[in-house]
Amino acid sequence: MRFRRVAIAALLLLAAVALILVKRQPHSSGPATYVGSAACAPCHAQEDADWRTSDHFLAMQEPNRHSVLGDFEHATFTGDGHTSTFFRRDSTYVVNTTGPDGNPHDYPVRYTFGVYPLQQYLLELPGGRLQAFGVAWDSREKSEGGQRWFSLYPDQKLAPGDPLFWTGIDQTWNYQCAECHSTDVGRGYDPATRTYHTTFHEINVSCESCHGPGSAHVAWAHRAGKKEAEPGESMGLPVRYRDRADNTWTIDPVSGIAHRSKLAVTHDEVEACAYCHSRRGLLKEGHVPGRPIGDTHRVALLEPDLYHADGQILGEVYEYGSFLQSKMYRAGVTCSDCHQPHTDHRYAEGNELCARCHLATKFDTPEHHHHPAGSAGARCVSCHMLQRTYMGVDARRDHSFRVPRPDLTVELGTPITCTDCHADHDARWSRDAFMRW
């Protein structure tokens, strides 16, 4: 009888624990699914409003008079042996250009692709393929050289059959571009027929691109009636980016450099950004935001055609590979220390951004940068973030935040930011100037 009472008590205890767990965990009949940004907006109105001002929101759009930035008033562009005409047929935007057979044809614009500093257009080919057209619109201001059509591959004389020609595999949106411009992309490639049935849940880079499928989180929010979780409570999100919680940066008055109040224990945020801000190739679909990018992708290494001998950017490698080399990454800095995650804008401009973690009275002075205050040479990025231009007009900076080393430039031929401004001098001149300083 005593054993029976103990057994009943144990069962009751287990039932109570199970009931607590049921109350604490989101109800789900299976894996979380994508619900769309409209399901997020009611509880996250400010984040939704911020996101709508971002390039992520505009990453890919249906063509209309608001989204199409290029001149489609019978504008023409001739280059490398091909002439393209851009015009409208009623509400349809059309490009007449050389097709895969070498003859000109009309191709309706299916989507706009990107927004600044250039915009491309996706044209449709048989087999479900969308192709990124190789003549793009320079969306910069006219005073900056923009508001014009230009070739992304000038002087290369590409022709049908070349992988880089707009009809080639290197320009196939389904294969090369889709997963970074839309949410929950399924390539849908059929190797038997060599066709695509590509799908996406949302056309642009939306909430669930970074936070993962949100059905369990929405279920939790509806059930709990709140936005914040109790300690230890799951909110039903694949990743919550908790590493920044309760963490502050404090500038050491001696070194002039900020330090985290707590050591970084995860790299979820950087890995989430790496999904699109890295040079990589797909190994398998099903990436989970916050998980290491290497779980599903082959990340480009420090290869000679992609990086210089000292690790500075050379090819179009985006930001992840250089940032991993930086002292900032090792110190626990994440992307959102500089970039507001929902608007994708920087928190401040110029040296004010760097001064958030680097004492201005120590570093933003002629004694440190050896240039007149307010000059181009006095900008932190001029010395510490090498800039290179890709896709003709897209200037991007190296995110390894390295100290200039003209001595290595002399020995190895690596770039030195000094000669970006002082083009009439060489690396030896830069090295000698450093030695005098």
Side-chain angles (χ1 to χ4, degrees):
M1 180 65 71
R2 182 181 178 185
F3 174 78
R4 185 176 181 182
R5 286 198 299 269
V6 171
I8 292 173
L11 288 172
L12 290 173
L13 178 61
L14 288 173
V17 171
L19 181 60
I20 292 173
L21 290 175
V22 167
K23 288 183 177 179
R24 293 175 71 88
Q25 299 298 326
H27 293 296
S28 176
S29 58
T33 57
Y34 286 82
V35 295
S37 54
C40 307
C43 291
H44 302 281
Q46 185 59 58
E47 290 84 354
D48 180 73
D50 289 344
W51 167 65
R52 292 177 184 276
T53 69
S54 71
D55 284 353
H56 290 158
F57 179 75
L58 303 173
M60 183 166 155
Q61 304 173 83
E62 296 277 356
N64 56 54
R65 62 188 182 91
H66 300 292
S67 63
V68 174
L69 304 179
D71 180 2
F72 278 79
E73 298 297 328
H74 289 276
T76 61
F77 177 85
T78 299
D80 304 325
H82 305 283
T83 296
S84 302
T85 303
F86 304 85
F87 63 97
R88 286 186 294 174
R89 184 182 292 134
D90 297 325
S91 60
T92 302
Y93 293 80
V94 183
V95 180
N96 178 275
T97 192
T98 304
D101 61 357
N103 297 313
H105 301 279
D106 288 351
Y107 295 95
V109 171
R110 186 65 186 87
Y111 296 104
T112 68
F113 211 55
V115 62
Y116 185 87
L118 71 152
Q119 184 174 71
Q120 283 186 269
Y121 300 93
L122 299 183
L123 312 182
E124 196 163 9
L125 288 182
R129 286 170 172 77
L130 292 179
Q131 303 289 131
F133 191 48
V135 177
W137 178 254
D138 185 342
S139 55
R140 299 174 301 165
E141 294 295 329
K142 196 166 187 176
S143 59
E144 300 176 278
Q147 301 301 298
R148 65 189 175 99
W149 293 104
F150 72 102
S151 173
L152 292 170
Y153 303 96
D155 305 319
Q156 293 199 33
K157 297 189 182 301
L158 302 176
D162 191 304
L164 280 176
F165 190 66
W166 79 267
T167 61
I169 189 172
D170 286 351
Q171 308 299 342
T172 301
W173 164 85
N174 319 65
Y175 167 63
Q176 292 279 29
C177 324
E179 69 178 0
C180 286
H181 281 249
S182 302
T183 302
D184 186 28
V185 171
R187 281 177 172 78
Y189 181 66
D190 182 353
T193 60
R194 300 181 66 183
T195 59
Y196 287 95
H197 181 67
T198 303
T199 60
F200 49 76
H201 192 86
E202 286 195 89
I203 192 173
N204 51 13
V205 181
S206 67
C207 315
E208 292 165 297
S209 291
C210 302
H211 294 284
S215 61
H217 176 62
V218 171
W220 170 84
H222 287 169
R223 186 174 64 259
K226 56 187 178 181
K227 291 174 60 176
E228 295 298 328
E230 301 296 332
E233 184 180 15
S234 170
M235 298 176 71
L237 285 172
V239 59
R240 291 181 59 194
Y241 306 115
R242 298 291 295 172
D243 194 48
R244 292 176 59 82
D246 303 320
N247 177 68
T248 57
W249 289 92
T250 304
I251 295 182
D252 182 337
V254 177
S255 68
I257 298 175
H259 298 278
R260 286 174 60 110
S261 58
K262 297 193 303 184
L263 292 176
V265 294
T266 74
H267 298 285
D268 293 347
E269 182 187 311
V270 174
E271 292 297 319
C273 297
Y275 182 58
C276 292
H277 292 270
S278 65
R279 174 76 172 247
R280 74 280 184 274
L282 182 71
L283 294 174
K284 65 175 183 177
E285 296 188 271
H287 174 72
V288 176
R291 292 293 304 159
I293 186 66
D295 285 358
T296 50
H297 293 73
R298 178 186 59 80
V299 179
L301 304 179
L302 299 180
E303 300 167 7
D305 60 334
L306 298 179
Y307 293 89
H308 289 283
D310 62 349
Q312 292 188 78
I313 60 174
L314 172 59
E316 192 174 6
V317 291
Y318 309 99
E319 294 79 22
Y320 178 69
S322 58
F323 185 57
L324 292 192
Q325 303 175 49
S326 71
K327 290 182 179 180
M328 290 191 181
Y329 175 74
R330 293 197 295 276
V333 174
T334 66
C335 311
S336 64
D337 280 309
C338 298
H339 301 272
Q340 209 282 346
H342 296 107
T343 65
D344 70 30
H345 304 155
R346 291 180 291 270
Y347 286 107
E349 294 302 320
N351 291 359
E352 290 184 14
L353 180 64
C354 304
R356 288 160 55 91
C357 289
H358 299 271
L359 194 63
T361 55
K362 184 177 180 68
F363 295 104
D364 195 6
T365 65
E367 290 73 26
H368 175 72
H369 51 63
H370 300 277
H371 288 80
S375 68
R379 299 178 64 211
C380 306
V381 295
S382 294
C383 292
H384 298 290
M385 296 185 76
L386 177 87
Q387 180 172 278
R388 290 294 177 259
T389 299
Y390 303 97
M391 303 185 78
V393 299
D394 194 0
R396 305 176 199 164
R397 292 195 178 274
D398 188 306
H399 278 63
S400 58
F401 305 100
R402 63 185 68 238
V403 174
R405 290 288 303 273
D407 56 322
L408 291 182
T409 302
V410 172
E411 293 181 23
L412 304 175
T414 53
I416 180 71
T417 54
C418 306
T419 54
D420 283 353
C421 292
H422 301 280
D424 54 336
H425 293 290
D426 61 13
R428 294 182 185 278
W429 173 85
S430 302
R431 180 197 60 188
D432 294 344
F434 267 59
M435 294 301 292
R436 289 194 301 273
W437 293 346

